Amino acid sequence: MAPHIGRRLRKGAATTAVAAVVMAALTASQAPGFAGTAPDRHHDSAGETPTPPTEAPIDGGSSYHTDLPPLRKPGKPGASIDLPGLPDGVAAAEAGIPATVLDAYKKAEAALKESKPGCNLPWQLLAAIGKVESGQARGGRVDAEGTTYSPILGPVLNGNGFARITDTDGGAYDGDTTHDRAVGPMQFIPSTWATWGRDGNGDGERNPNNIYDAALAAGAYLCANGRDLSVKAHLDAAILGYNHSQEYLATVLSWFEYYKKGTHAVPDGTGVLPDPDKVGSGSGRGKDGGKGDKGKDHDGSGSPTPLPDPTPGGGDNSTSEPPTPGSDDPGTPTPGTPTPEPPTPGTPTPTPSTVARLETVGTTELTATAGTEFAAKPRVRAETTDGKPVPGVLVRYEIRGETDARFPGGATRVTAITGSDGTATAPALRAGETTGSFTVRATVVGRSVDAADFPATVKARPVPQADALARTDDKVLKAETGGSFADTVAVKATYKGKAAAGVAATATMITSDSAKADKPTQNDKGPYFKDAKGQPIRTLTALKTDANGQLILPKIYTDDQTGTFLLRITTAGGATLTIELTVTQPAAQETTG
């Protein structure tokens, strides 16, 4: 079993003091390029205090692991200060990063090189933060898509030892409808995830419990405000933006330098777990008046904790086959591979519960009008075989079928977490313009449980109608041949006495003898409109009233025909209005002799 590296430095000194010593050792012995060695054009003096971040901290000032990296034995006498090194095997274990987690960090670095090349984000920084925030997703307990087998939740941010953040997500991400909790391997608070969440693995979903999504989101946050992370002041400000604590900064920087000296991939699920005794609070608002006391969450550890935590590779409810060598399933570690150490005696460990079924809760049939939000949200309850609720379960909602309805952010798949009552509610679903039926399917992530389907229907928008039309003025419409009418024709449509907006209308020049017919005949002489090419037309379609129910027709021209002509306007709903147009010969011009 791999030892807990953090235990090598016991409680004889404060963690910040130890971090400073280890940082000095790293600088002197094994980090010739270390950012704190000397000021240069990229780095400020190590003695300067980093500028506090302007953004809200990603993890809400939540707890974090304070384990420090091992000191590698000096290669030459006098090459390091006199601090104890660790056996090579232990150092190698700590340098190992679970394969999927490592891949996520590297993919995030590559993506940000494309989108923010001036940021110079190194993946080792993401690895350092991932180590401190969640122990690399609890030793790499993720599935093949990078999603944790169960949610990783920080302590309740209720002001007791940490910041007080009331619920911002309706419990969708953290299962808590009273206060927020940091979520996932990179420990985002829900309100921050709403802004910075990213889709790192291209599955159309932004899931804080997915290491690909979380790593890309963390990288985007670190690169915010035009930061160049090769500049020491920018680097420090970015890290403090995660958790505004000098102890946190020192701890992350120590792992950052450690990982820059070399890492290697280990099978998922076999990473070294953090020491449960080494947990710090970055809020500075604890009971000790800002000394960073340990916060306590539901299990008393203060550290991000999965609830519940099934065994990787299927757990207590998986139907997957035994893993094969080289697969993404962690399976049984290869001989000689570091193995996670079990929790320290006395530390409560969540007990996995078997999800036997998903039951729909409330409305099962979803309906909405095109372009509007569905009134009901899909909601399911995870239950055991005897009907008891199962909290902390990842439920994926997926839109299936031909539709342009979408979840927030244009997503077709979203993930919610069951709360203490076992229920998980999808975010609001909005209909597009495509009418018809589709399905919203709820499934348990990583487990073989029958899906719960929600039939959904998008109905066409009701056609705006008018039951009355009237001119907006009473001017006599009169013009001479070979010219045009000086006054425009403006009408207002109403429905049950109120302005009828968006009502479709048609304007046609009709013959007088067909005015009383159900379908009057279009006149081929007299007043006319012009099309886009300037050619005469006597029927206008696709007209629509404005927000006030008004319709203004384009200019009307005259040919060489004189007389009284009729203009007929009709609308959806059956409203009609007939307007007289009078055309005369030009007045005789006076001559002088």
Side-chain angles (χ1 to χ4, degrees):
M1 307 291 277
H4 284 303
I5 304 306
R7 292 175 183 164
R8 71 193 181 282
L9 296 169
R10 276 300 178 187
K11 302 175 181 177
T15 308
T16 42
V18 174
V21 173
V22 174
M23 290 289 287
L26 285 166
T27 302
S29 66
Q30 56 180 328
F34 177 54
T37 54
D40 59 21
R41 65 185 183 91
H42 291 299
H43 301 107
D44 298 333
S45 167
E48 293 183 4
T49 302
T51 304
T54 57
E55 307 91 346
I58 280 187
D59 65 9
S62 188
S63 60
Y64 55 88
H65 299 292
T66 60
D67 301 59
L68 296 172
L71 294 174
R72 294 187 172 116
K73 291 182 177 180
K76 298 179 181 180
S80 173
I81 62 175
D82 188 17
L83 281 178
L86 288 178
D88 290 338
V90 174
E94 280 287 9
I97 298 177
T100 298
V101 177
L102 180 60
D103 183 57
Y105 296 150
K106 291 183 176 181
K107 278 186 168 56
E109 178 195 59
L112 286 160
K113 275 185 179 179
E114 294 279 337
S115 62
K116 290 187 176 291
C119 175
N120 297 306
L121 171 77
W123 66 260
Q124 292 90 341
L125 178 59
L126 294 175
I129 291 174
K131 177 69 173 180
V132 172
E133 291 288 347
S134 69
Q136 310 298 19
R138 299 292 293 170
R141 303 192 77 175
V142 297
D143 62 20
E145 295 180 352
T147 301
T148 58
Y149 283 108
S150 58
I152 297 178
L153 301 176
V156 178
L157 298 176
N158 57 8
N160 183 20
F162 302 101
R164 178 181 176 85
I165 303 178
T166 55
D167 176 59
T168 61
D169 66 330
Y173 291 122
D174 56 14
D176 191 327
T177 57
T178 304
H179 294 94
D180 271 349
R181 306 175 70 168
V183 180
M186 302 302 277
Q187 288 289 278
F188 278 82
I189 54 174
S191 59
T192 310
W193 182 258
T195 300
W196 292 95
R198 298 291 188 272
D199 178 12
N201 59 356
D203 64 355
E205 183 179 347
R206 299 179 182 184
N207 180 5
N209 282 292
N210 181 280
I211 186 58
Y212 288 98
D213 295 356
L216 183 58
Y221 184 93
L222 293 167
C223 288
N225 297 331
R227 294 191 188 109
D228 178 354
L229 299 181
S230 67
V231 176
K232 182 64 164 59
H234 290 200
L235 175 66
D236 289 350
I239 296 171
L240 287 171
Y242 229 102
N243 191 315
H244 191 53
S245 159
Q246 294 297 321
E247 178 186 10
Y248 180 86
L249 174 64
T251 307
V252 169
L253 286 175
S254 68
W255 282 106
F256 178 40
E257 292 304 321
Y258 182 75
Y259 287 139
K260 280 164 52 175
K261 301 309 163 188
T263 61
H264 58 277
V266 298
D268 291 343
T270 65
V272 177
L273 294 176
D275 186 340
D277 289 336
K278 289 190 172 293
V279 180
S281 168
S283 68
R285 293 185 284 271
K287 294 179 181 179
D288 62 354
K291 297 177 183 178
D293 71 327
K294 285 186 184 180
K296 303 293 182 182
D297 69 357
H298 62 280
D299 70 352
S301 71
S303 59
T305 307
L307 282 179
D309 197 356
T311 303
D316 56 11
N317 195 40
S318 173
T319 58
S320 60
E321 298 179 0
T324 56
S327 71
D328 289 321
D329 193 313
T332 303
T334 305
T337 301
T339 304
E341 185 173 335
T344 304
T347 300
T349 302
T351 302
S353 298
T354 301
V355 181
R357 58 180 173 267
L358 284 179
E359 294 289 342
T360 57
V361 178
T363 303
T364 57
E365 294 188 4
L366 311 173
T367 58
T369 300
T372 66
E373 195 171 277
F374 283 80
K377 299 177 181 178
R379 188 181 184 196
V380 295
R381 172 183 161 101
E383 297 180 350
T384 61
T385 53
D386 55 357
K388 293 182 179 180
V390 184
V393 174
L394 283 175
V395 176
R396 175 172 292 154
Y397 289 95
E398 181 177 6
I399 297 172
R400 302 169 68 91
E402 295 297 325
T403 182
D404 55 358
R406 293 293 184 267
F407 290 112
T412 58
R413 291 197 298 174
V414 295
T415 301
I417 303 172
T418 59
S420 58
D421 61 353
T423 63
T425 305
L429 180 65
R430 188 172 186 83
E433 296 301 323
T434 303
T435 59
S437 299
F438 63 97
T439 300
V440 177
R441 174 162 293 179
T443 56
V444 176
V445 176
R447 302 188 184 184
S448 296
V449 177
D450 289 343
D453 285 344
F454 294 81
T457 303
V458 177
K459 299 179 180 179
R461 297 174 187 265
V463 178
Q465 296 184 346
D467 56 15
L469 272 175
R471 288 187 61 190
T472 60
D473 60 52
D474 56 1
K475 293 180 180 179
V476 176
L477 299 171
K478 192 173 183 179
E480 296 177 345
T481 57
S484 63
F485 287 82
D487 296 312
T488 57
V489 176
V491 299
K492 183 173 182 178
T494 57
Y495 182 73
K496 295 182 178 180
K498 297 182 179 180
V503 177
T506 300
T508 305
M509 303 295 178
I510 63 172
T511 61
S512 299
D513 57 1
S514 67
K516 295 182 179 180
D518 292 337
K519 294 183 179 180
T521 303
Q522 176 182 289
N523 202 337
D524 60 356
K525 298 176 182 179
Y528 61 89
F529 304 103
K530 287 185 178 181
D531 63 15
K533 296 181 179 179
Q535 298 300 310
I537 57 171
R538 291 182 167 84
T539 296
L540 295 178
T541 59
L543 301 174
K544 189 171 290 187
T545 61
D546 64 14
N548 298 316
Q550 293 189 3
L551 174 65
I552 300 176
L553 297 184
K555 183 183 286 288
I556 301 175
Y557 298 88
T558 60
D559 56 13
D560 59 357
Q561 300 293 313
T562 62
T564 299
F565 299 90
L566 300 180
L567 168 63
R568 173 70 56 85
I569 302 175
T570 60
T571 69
T576 64
L577 178 65
T578 302
I579 301 171
E580 288 188 353
L581 305 173
T582 301
V583 182
T584 62
Q585 288 287 352
Q589 295 182 356
E590 295 184 1
T591 61
T592 58

